[in-house]
Amino acid sequence: MIEVKNLSKVFRKESIEVQVLQDVSLSVQKGEFIAIMAPSGMGKSTLLNILGCLDKPSSGEYILDGVPVQDMDDDELSRIRNEKIGFVFQSFHLLPRMTAWENVILPLIYGDSDGDLKDRAVKVLTSVGLADRMDHLPRELSGGQQQRVAIARSLINNPRIILADEPTGNLDSASGQEIMKIFRELHSSGTTLVIVTHDMDVARQTDRIVEMKDGRISNDRPTRSPVEAAI
Amino acid sequence: MRMFRMGKQALRAMIENKTRSFLMMLGVVIGVATLTMIASSVLGARAEVMGKVEKFGLDQIMIMAGAGRKPGVPQPIPTTLRVEDAQAMMSEIINVKDVSPQINRRDFLVKSGNKSSYAIIAAANPNWESVWNTSPESGRFISSEDTAKFARVAVIGKTIQTDLFEDEDPVGKQILLGNNPFEVIGVLEPRGTAVSGVDMDSRVVIPLSTGQKRVFNQDYLFMIKVALHDASNMSQTVEDIRALLRERHNLQKGVEDDFTLVTPTQVMNIASKLSTTFSLFLLLVSAISLIVGAIVIANIMFIAVNERKPEIGIRRAVGARKNDILAQFLMEAVSIALAGGILGIIIGLAGLKILSGFMKLPNAIMWQPIAVALVSALIVGLLAGIQPARKAAHLNPIDALK
Ligand SMILES: Nc1ncnc2c1ncn2[C@@H]1O[C@H](COP(=O)(O)OP(=O)(O)O)[C@@H](O)[C@H]1O
Ligand SMILES: [Mg+2]
């Protein structure tokens, strides 16, 4: 699903260069559920943004779903974001003046879909347990509920992969658990998920943990060791 | 479909921010309101001028005795213009269809019993009716018998009828022109005001022969009105008439004409001048308002782009292309400008209604000014929106999401 080879990212500010990612190689199979872990400032979001086609690597290769994307132009990347990728952010990033269902259909506005968009929003919102919050504005919803609206939005276009940047970072542990439960359900129905976190309790619930340090992958292991799994 | 959905979102953004949207509209509202008023009044004035010129007759020329005459402005006149001049034009210039030689006198006192009024006396032949295209609505016009007998008969205009007889039927009644008693034989159909501002309905027409012998005691003319066969040959005919009259009046080379030729084009020019100053002033107000309106919209849009960075980032993250963001902000600017335009048109038309109570303005709603106003608003929206929209479109989505 994701093939990343020797990926680097350098930020330039005036004459100062910051090497955020260095020679990162990573492959994620279809249906996998992985966690990327690292302390703050280590380049997790930067990597996720590149995986999500929101940002471009300074060098290296990125093959998404069999398609090399590192050389695509802005319009092509927008289309990929629209059709293949679902984003979930730490601070939800809902449009404050739009109701839950209107937020959910936002990706459809930029696609080719027609038909009753609200119908589709209702289905997805129901699947994240918000059937009765359809017409609420974000500020009328709890943090956990807002994040579930954001997940519904990321799912509306049946994406190939869900990318979540610290999705539980702004939530209490109970709400965080609800979000993780939804992710696990998505995983068991075959969706590929990559989440960034620095919470071990969250990472433990995935299949595989990729740890980063100083812009490099320092550790990449299954969540349960073969020994653990055998017990 | 995509554009339609995005357009709907632009309208929402405008409605959600009513106060701000209204502020953004204000300049456009004022600009378009004045523009609507200008365009309507200019077009209306032009229509009115055309109407008057048509009344004057597009195929007609007026020859007035005396040099440098203006229609409706009295001045002493020479004695050189004669009935024989009119007859010569008729027989020697092919394009001349008919001629009406006349003696005219303005502000002439007419009386009936204890009522009086001031009339324009026109002493003319029976063909005055066809040359001026004005017929009696009741009674009859002057006949050749009247002319032959120096009859004291008069055909009077509506204003004179009302002043002297109110609702009574004047036909058969006596009036006094100065001290001469005349019998009213007809009432002319109404003709309104001429380009010169003269009330055409204050005319009293009497036989030319009677005027010469019994009223004015003069044989020379005040004017000759000429009807042409072919109006497209106007300028050649004017030159032919001028040459003929100069020859008949024995005017040497270098000597000024002792008559004045007035053509429909000249009449049109006189009438057009009236509304120009007022229009120019309004045009200036309108242009300034539209420019200020555009600047206000552009500035508030720049602020909005900054405030709405997260929204732009979110839209980009879920698949909006740069052009989608550009279109969104452009549509917002344009819908605000258009809404301002529509409001401006309504206010402009209302203003026109109110103003037309004070001064002579047309109050028919015309589609051209509305189209002009809407197109101006559209252009203002596009010009004001393009830079902020480009800025929004080129934001880095990651920076926008921070
Ligand atoms: N646009 C940018 N310009 C310059 N430096 C940046 C930019 N974005 C991120 N960085 C730097 O890159 C490093 C990694 O950031 P980030 O990927 O957000 O880390 P994490 O998500 O792991 O906290 C940080 O030191 C940050 O300051
Ligand atoms: Mg981060």
Side-chain angles (χ1 to χ4, degrees):
Chain A
M1 176 63 54
I2 283 177
E3 261 320 309
V4 165
K5 278 191 204 129
N6 309 113
L7 202 74
S8 295
K9 181 72 183 179
V10 180
F11 285 113
R12 266 184 206 87
K13 221 167 211 171
E14 276 114 50
S15 57
I16 309 158
E17 288 193 359
V18 189
Q19 176 108 28
V20 181
L21 297 177
Q22 225 167 337
D23 225 10
V24 172
S25 295
L26 176 71
S27 90
V28 179
Q29 305 309 309
K30 187 170 189 307
E32 257 194 305
F33 185 10
I34 82 164
I36 297 173
M37 285 195 78
S40 275
M42 285 295 139
K44 304 184 297 290
S45 298
T46 305
L47 177 59
L48 203 71
N49 288 337
I50 292 172
L51 296 183
C53 297
L54 264 178
D55 202 356
K56 285 184 160 195
S58 305
S59 66
E61 269 177 61
Y62 176 18
I63 294 163
L64 172 65
D65 205 18
V67 185
V69 297
Q70 71 270 4
D71 298 322
M72 284 187 168
D73 69 20
D74 197 83
D75 283 2
E76 291 170 314
L77 291 176
S78 299
R79 193 172 181 88
I80 292 204
R81 289 199 298 275
N82 185 247
E83 291 174 352
K84 295 198 173 176
I85 294 165
F87 255 111
V88 178
F89 303 94
Q90 179 173 2
S91 48
F92 324 136
H93 282 329
L94 300 175
L95 295 184
R97 294 176 191 276
M98 291 198 179
T99 63
W101 77 266
E102 287 168 333
N103 265 288
V104 170
I105 63 158
L106 196 63
L108 301 183
I109 288 178
Y110 300 109
D112 306 318
S113 44
D114 41 22
D116 191 348
L117 304 187
K118 185 168 184 179
D119 254 11
R120 291 176 62 178
V122 169
K123 281 203 191 85
V124 190
L125 277 168
T126 308
S127 77
V128 296
L130 287 177
D132 53 346
R133 294 288 189 277
M134 218 71 75
D135 295 313
H136 288 237
L137 292 172
R139 64 163 184 273
E140 298 163 346
L141 298 170
S142 71
Q145 289 171 330
Q146 288 186 49
Q147 194 61 301
R148 281 189 276 158
V149 173
I151 292 172
R153 179 179 67 195
S154 76
L155 293 172
I156 190 82
N157 241 348
N158 301 313
R160 314 282 294 164
I161 186 164
I162 303 280
L163 303 173
D165 193 349
E166 307 201 35
T168 60
N170 280 12
L171 300 176
D172 59 58
S173 59
S175 308
Q177 259 331 105
E178 280 175 33
I179 299 301
M180 287 313 291
K181 187 168 158 262
I182 293 173
F183 281 156
R184 283 203 310 276
E185 283 165 12
L186 287 171
H187 170 51
S188 54
S189 63
T191 310
T192 313
L193 291 114
V194 176
I195 66 174
V196 158
T197 182
H198 50 229
D199 182 346
M200 196 53 213
D201 287 339
V202 168
R204 237 197 300 275
Q205 301 181 49
T206 66
D207 291 347
R208 177 179 157 198
I209 297 174
V210 174
E211 285 178 84
M212 288 177 61
K213 202 175 177 203
D214 298 330
R216 293 170 194 273
I217 292 180
S218 58
N219 194 359
D220 186 347
R221 59 179 171 96
T223 307
R224 277 160 291 229
S225 63
V227 182
E228 272 178 293
I231 299 171
Chain B
M1 196 56 202
R2 187 172 176 150
M3 274 298 154
F4 171 72
R5 288 191 297 246
M6 286 170 53
K8 247 168 61 179
Q9 297 217 340
L11 283 181
R12 266 191 72 149
M14 176 172 79
I15 293 161
E16 276 163 359
N17 239 317
K18 286 195 192 66
T19 322
R20 174 143 92 189
S21 301
F22 181 73
L23 273 178
M24 289 169 86
M25 279 175 209
L26 213 55
V28 179
V29 171
I30 296 169
V32 166
T34 44
L35 197 61
T36 307
M37 284 171 53
I38 303 165
S40 300
S41 53
V42 166
L43 282 175
R46 187 183 302 161
E48 227 180 84
V49 168
M50 279 317 292
K52 281 188 174 159
V53 172
E54 270 161 30
K55 249 192 276 169
F56 173 87
L58 288 171
D59 55 353
Q60 304 211 320
I61 299 172
M62 226 174 346
I63 300 145
M64 300 202 278
R69 294 279 308 279
K70 291 195 176 92
V73 181
Q75 74 183 50
I77 60 165
T79 60
T80 45
L81 197 65
R82 308 227 154 221
V83 176
E84 293 74 27
D85 291 332
Q87 286 162 348
M89 276 185 243
M90 197 56 187
S91 56
E92 288 177 33
I93 299 172
I94 302 161
N95 198 20
V96 171
K97 186 167 85 181
D98 207 351
V99 288
S100 169
Q102 306 175 210
I103 301 173
N104 284 26
R105 196 61 57 83
R106 287 173 59 143
D107 300 323
F108 204 92
L109 185 65
V110 292
K111 285 189 284 198
S112 168
N114 53 7
K115 298 216 175 74
S116 67
S117 183
Y118 288 92
I120 299 167
I121 306 293
N125 287 330
N127 68 347
W128 185 96
E129 183 179 1
S130 61
V131 173
W132 284 88
N133 192 25
T134 306
S135 297
E137 63 170 20
S138 66
R140 64 172 180 88
F141 199 70
I142 294 161
S143 66
S144 19
E145 208 179 322
D146 294 328
T147 311
K149 289 199 222 151
F150 304 93
R152 297 173 193 270
V153 291
V155 187
I156 64 176
K158 267 271 180 246
T159 307
I160 303 299
Q161 182 210 338
T162 321
D163 285 356
L164 299 187
F165 299 101
E166 288 169 10
D167 300 332
E168 274 176 80
D169 181 7
V171 176
K173 298 238 162 66
Q174 291 275 317
I175 55 173
L176 286 176
L177 301 188
N179 297 320
N180 296 299
F182 276 74
E183 183 193 344
V184 177
I185 55 170
V187 178
L188 294 168
E189 60 189 336
R191 271 288 179 261
T193 314
V195 177
S196 53
V198 166
D199 177 10
M200 306 283 271
D201 298 328
S202 70
R203 290 181 295 189
V204 170
V205 187
I206 60 174
L208 179 59
S209 56
T210 316
Q212 286 171 322
K213 283 261 152 42
R214 301 193 197 272
V215 183
F216 304 119
N217 194 24
Q218 68 178 57
D219 51 2
Y220 56 91
L221 298 176
F222 177 87
M223 61 173 280
I224 302 169
K225 186 153 182 177
V226 182
L228 304 185
H229 287 291
D230 178 10
S232 64
N233 216 358
M234 174 77 63
S235 48
Q236 182 55 52
T237 310
V238 165
E239 285 322 305
D240 292 347
I241 291 174
R242 170 167 291 134
L244 179 70
L245 288 180
R246 287 186 66 87
E247 192 196 315
R248 292 184 55 84
H249 295 184
N250 287 319
L251 298 175
Q252 302 299 313
K253 247 205 168 94
V255 177
E256 181 180 39
D257 291 347
D258 60 354
F259 53 88
T260 306
L261 282 160
V262 181
T263 62
T265 327
Q266 285 168 291
V267 174
M268 198 148 36
N269 290 343
I270 293 165
S272 309
K273 267 183 205 139
L274 304 173
S275 55
T276 315
T277 325
F278 180 58
S279 300
L280 277 180
F281 170 71
L282 282 182
L283 197 64
L284 196 70
V285 173
S286 166
I288 291 172
S289 312
L290 286 177
I291 291 168
V292 170
I295 293 171
V296 168
I297 292 179
N299 275 297
I300 299 184
M301 288 292 289
F302 272 121
I303 297 170
V305 168
N306 267 331
E307 277 176 4
R308 285 162 65 184
K309 272 186 183 171
E311 175 190 332
I312 296 163
I314 293 164
R315 288 181 185 272
R316 294 280 278 136
V318 302
R321 297 167 308 180
K322 283 180 177 171
N323 277 341
D324 293 326
I325 303 295
L326 184 87
Q328 178 192 344
F329 280 87
L330 255 191
M331 279 194 271
E332 286 188 28
V334 166
S335 35
I336 282 181
L338 279 182
I342 291 168
L343 203 62
I345 288 169
I346 293 169
I347 293 174
L349 291 178
L352 207 61
K353 266 264 180 296
I354 295 167
L355 272 182
S356 58
F358 297 114
M359 57 180 101
K360 228 172 131 41
L361 283 178
N363 44 18
I365 292 179
M366 283 172 287
W367 66 267
Q368 298 99 317
I370 293 177
V372 170
L374 280 182
V375 169
S376 320
L378 182 75
I379 291 171
V380 165
L382 286 174
L383 288 182
I386 188 73
Q387 281 312 325
R390 282 171 55 94
K391 185 184 173 191
H394 290 288
L395 279 179
N396 180 347
I398 297 160
D399 293 338
L401 278 170
K402 267 177 191 154

